[in-house]
Amino acid sequence: MIGDGGLKFTLLDNGADSLKSAYTNLEILNEIADGGEHRLKDAVIFLNHGVELLLKYILKQRSPALMFEKIDHYLKAKESLKKDKDKKKTVFDIESKLKTVSLLEALKRIEYLCDIEIPEKLYNTLLYVNKVRNNFMHYEVELDDKETETLVTNLQVCYEESVEFLEAHIEDLDDYIQDSRFEITAEEYQEMQAEIQADMYYEMYKEAAMMDAMEEEELAKSLEGGYGYASGGDYKW
């Protein structure tokens, strides 16, 4: 169950989510003595994926057309989308063969079309991670102990460099990363609702008790003033 609102995963949400997953896998790797190959693979794939999507997001902020391999194909699809009477949602609904740029092409366009300098350390570690990612995705990976250690080090550096760069160009990215991977089970939701309801009843009880106390105090004051009782309890004629 996803929720009553359905599913909406923006480019920014998607990229931040993958970065959070990469970070989580890297953190867990530090605690694993043996058998963490899948964590290393996930860190590589999610880091590459998250950075690629967020680089595309930067391009999209300048112009959505910059995200696509062939800008003229995007423009044609965009034109058809605007004329569409069935109200399709995206250009992909018009032309399913449209392709967005790769990570490396996104880096080029950001640097040379958007005039945003790419730090050398970021560029080099991204190239390295992207190469390992391609091996994971399309073939196989075999690394000795020293090469594995190098991979982990490069992943950590690449993550830190990527987040620093992306946060400089994407507003509130840190909040998106922190809020990513949030989920709640049906049982937790019911417990949360029960707690909210209990808190609400408690607050209502507190308010009612306070009102009763105030009314009693007012009544006591009115009796004291109306019937001539002194504060010490002696009757005054």
Side-chain angles (χ1 to χ4, degrees), residues 213-230 235:
M214 289 173 63
E215 287 176 3
E216 289 178 6
E217 186 179 348
E218 288 296 321
L219 179 60
K221 286 181 179 178
S222 65
L223 288 174
E224 181 180 344
Y227 293 98
Y229 283 100
Y235 193 78

Side-chain angles (χ1 to χ4, degrees), residues 127-194:
L127 287 182
Y128 175 85
V129 171
N130 185 252
K131 181 179 178 181
V132 178
R133 174 264 182 195
N134 290 339
N135 288 339
F136 270 124
M137 293 293 291
H138 304 298
Y139 188 54
E140 61 185 35
V141 176
E142 183 175 353
L143 303 173
D144 60 28
D145 288 344
K146 187 174 181 180
E147 290 169 329
T148 302
E149 187 178 334
T150 299
L151 173 57
V152 172
T153 300
N154 276 319
L155 280 169
Q156 292 169 335
V157 172
C158 187
Y159 178 84
E160 292 168 4
E161 290 287 322
S162 297
V163 170
E164 183 178 351
F165 173 79
L166 293 166
E167 283 183 347
H169 300 284
I170 300 175
E171 188 176 357
D172 297 327
L173 177 60
D174 182 60
D175 292 336
Y176 280 91
I177 296 173
Q178 294 298 325
D179 294 340
S180 292
R181 308 249 119 189
F182 171 79
E183 58 190 18
I184 183 169
T185 65
E187 183 179 354
E188 289 170 337
Y189 179 78
Q190 289 173 354
E191 290 175 356
M192 187 172 68
Q193 290 300 308

